[in-house]
């Protein structure tokens, strides 16, 4: 029996395993379905990683390699090219791979770090024919950066998430013509720096409050029709623009990869689509933790690392010291806030403070982030600007939460 099994060898799984080892566990297994560790970072060859955590600018593979090197200094066991099929409530992990065949391994604790997946055309129901040339932005990124193939030459991108913005620049640098980036919301879903560096610096137009309303083509995409949308995100007749293109890249959102969570009976949050977690990243199943994009979609891998280290330390504490005690306070989202992570906090299990991550559901100017318990105001944090594409976090001291009864609400109040 292992002290800990980590499902996923991407940035979340690597950081969690290393930190669990540093926290005292000595029987740890990482199971990764790909042939090498690193996860999605292996295909993210652009820079911009590590500014928060390492205080220097790294590419995705460089960031991953830093943690692979740390892992190699431990005794953590790694099984790559191995797929986890099931995790049971009693922490039995079913897996299969060419080297080991079908195996069932038992663990005293489990960390789920499977990352997220992209929404596809089927998820958003774009009408039109079904020709070749419609890909998710992540799939195109792998083709270009890992496999060495160009998906197309004349490209339209639907959605302004960070992967779509980065692929607009990448396709341009590889010689393609990116005709437009189209976003159904009245604001971009990506980081401001990516809008500037990937679109504005290359003269690529961004059409806000627009969407693709038709895909045309027989064997290959030949045209896409783009229409303006109203406040209900419905196409406005007479606003159609036709783009002659051979490729449509979709950057229309990421979803936590929660099939294993569901099969294990872990409580999910309909807002994040990931697991409901406590302050130490523990799920509703004792001894089972989750971290990274399988919990909620992050914008910076640096935050994934910090969150995963918390999960690794908590798994070690669970194995070495037992189940955390204390009543839990629910955290809930108020005005302008989409969700909070964690969703529950046990003040007795907090060391000094707890970090709360959240996203807003609209662009806010000069604002206050308010933390309240009923009519009682616990804390306030000032921000000059808040945007849905940029994850926010605040730190709540333990003393602030002690003695609180009922739910704690995080909301945003704009000045004026």
């Amino acid at each position: 029996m292992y002290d800990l099994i980590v499902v996923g060898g991407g940035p979340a799984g690597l950081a969690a395993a290393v930190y669990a080892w540093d926290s005292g566990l000595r029987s740890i297994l990482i199971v990764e379905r790909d042939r090498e560790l690193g996860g999605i970072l292996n295909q993210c060859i652009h820079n911009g990683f590590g500014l928060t955590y390492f205080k220097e600018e790294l590419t995705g593979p460089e960031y991953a390699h830093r943690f692979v090197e740390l892992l190699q200094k431990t005794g953590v066991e790694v099984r790559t090219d191995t797929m986890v099929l099931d995790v049971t409530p009693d922490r039995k992990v079913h897996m299969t791979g060419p080297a080991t065949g079908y195996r069932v391994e038992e663990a005293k604790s489990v960390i789920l770090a499977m990352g997220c997946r992209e929404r596809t055309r089927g998820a958003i129901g774009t009408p039109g024919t079904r020709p070749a040339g419609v890909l998710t932005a992540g799939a195109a990124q792998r083709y270009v950066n890992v496999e060495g193939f160009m998906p197309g030459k004349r490209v339209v991108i639907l959605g302004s998430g960070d992967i779509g913005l980065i692929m607009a620049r990448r396709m341009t640098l590889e010689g393609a013509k990116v005709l437009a980036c189209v976003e159904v919301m009245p604001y971009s879903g990506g980081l401001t720096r990516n809008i500037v560096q990937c679109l504005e610096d290359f003269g690529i137009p961004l059409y806000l409050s627009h969407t693709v309303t038709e895909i045309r083509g027989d064997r290959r995409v030949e045209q896409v029709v783009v229409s303006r949308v109203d406040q209900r995100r419905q196409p406005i007749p007479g606003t159609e623009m036709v783009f002659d293109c051979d490729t449509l890249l979709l950057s229309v959102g990421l979803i936590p990869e929660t099939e294993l969570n569901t099969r294990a009976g872990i409580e999910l949050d309909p807002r994040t689509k990931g697991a409901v977690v406590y302050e130490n990243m523990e799920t509703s199943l004792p001894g089972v933790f989750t971290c990274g994009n399988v919990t909620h979609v992050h914008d910076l891998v640096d935050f994934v690392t910090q969150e995963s280290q918390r999960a690794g330390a908590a798994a070690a504490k669970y194995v070495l010291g037992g189940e955390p005690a204390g009543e839990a306070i629910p955290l809930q989202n108020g005005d302008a806030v989409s969700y909070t992570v964690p969703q529950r906090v046990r003040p007795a299990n907090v060391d000094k403070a707890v970090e709360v991550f959240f996203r807003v559901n609209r662009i806010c100017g000069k604002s206050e982030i308010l933390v309240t318990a009923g009519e009682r105001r616990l804390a306030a944090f000032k921000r000059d600007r808040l945007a849905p594409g940029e994850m926010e976090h605040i730190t709540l001291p333990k003393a602030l939460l002690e003695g609180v009864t009922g739910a704690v609400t995080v909301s945003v109040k704009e000045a004026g």
Side-chain angles (χ1 to χ4, degrees), residues 4 6 37 71 81 94-95 120 161 185-186 191 198-199 256 313 324 335 339 342 351 371 377 384 389 406 410:
L4 169 65
V6 180
L37 297 171
L71 189 75
D81 204 15
H94 296 244
M95 63 191 74
T120 62
M185 301 299 288
L191 294 170
C198 301
L199 296 186
D335 186 47
Y339 68 83
D351 184 16
V371 182
R377 177 166 163 158
D384 289 331
V410 179

Side-chain angles (χ1 to χ4, degrees), residues 38 42 114 123 150 159 166 223 225 228-229 231 273 310 336-337 367 370 399 406:
N42 291 329
M114 296 87 68
M150 273 293 284
I166 287 163
Q223 293 179 331
V225 180
R228 178 179 287 277
V229 298
Q231 292 182 342
K273 304 297 188 291
R310 193 183 319 142
V337 175
S367 303
L370 299 176

Side-chain angles (χ1 to χ4, degrees), residues 13 85 133 223 255 313 407:
L85 304 174
Q223 293 179 331
I255 310 170

Side-chain angles (χ1 to χ4, degrees), residues 2 7 400:
Y2 289 94
V7 183
L400 201 70

Side-chain angles (χ1 to χ4, degrees), residues 2 4-14 16-17 27-39 71 76-87 91-107 109-115 260:
Y2 289 94
L4 169 65
I5 294 178
V6 180
V7 183
L14 289 170
S27 178
I28 302 174
L29 171 66
I30 293 179
V31 186
E32 167 58 42
R33 68 181 179 184
D34 212 340
R35 294 181 180 178
E36 55 189 18
L37 297 171
L71 189 75
V76 173
E77 182 184 339
V78 176
R79 289 185 198 169
T80 55
D81 204 15
T82 302
M83 173 71 76
V84 172
L85 304 174
D86 200 8
V87 176
R91 299 186 292 278
K92 290 184 174 68
V93 182
H94 296 244
M95 63 191 74
T96 184
T100 60
Y102 190 93
R103 296 286 293 272
V104 180
E105 304 287 3
E106 297 184 59
S109 63
V110 174
I111 293 179
L112 302 174
M114 296 87 68
L260 293 179

Side-chain angles (χ1 to χ4, degrees), residues 9-11 14 32 34-46 49 59-65 68 141-142 145-147:
L14 289 170
E32 167 58 42
D34 212 340
R35 294 181 180 178
E36 55 189 18
L37 297 171
I40 196 66
L41 290 181
N42 291 329
Q43 68 184 51
C44 298
I45 66 172
H46 54 279
F49 299 91
T59 66
E62 287 173 331
Y63 191 99
H65 188 64
V68 171
Q141 186 181 59
R142 183 173 181 90
N145 294 346
V146 179
E147 308 294 341

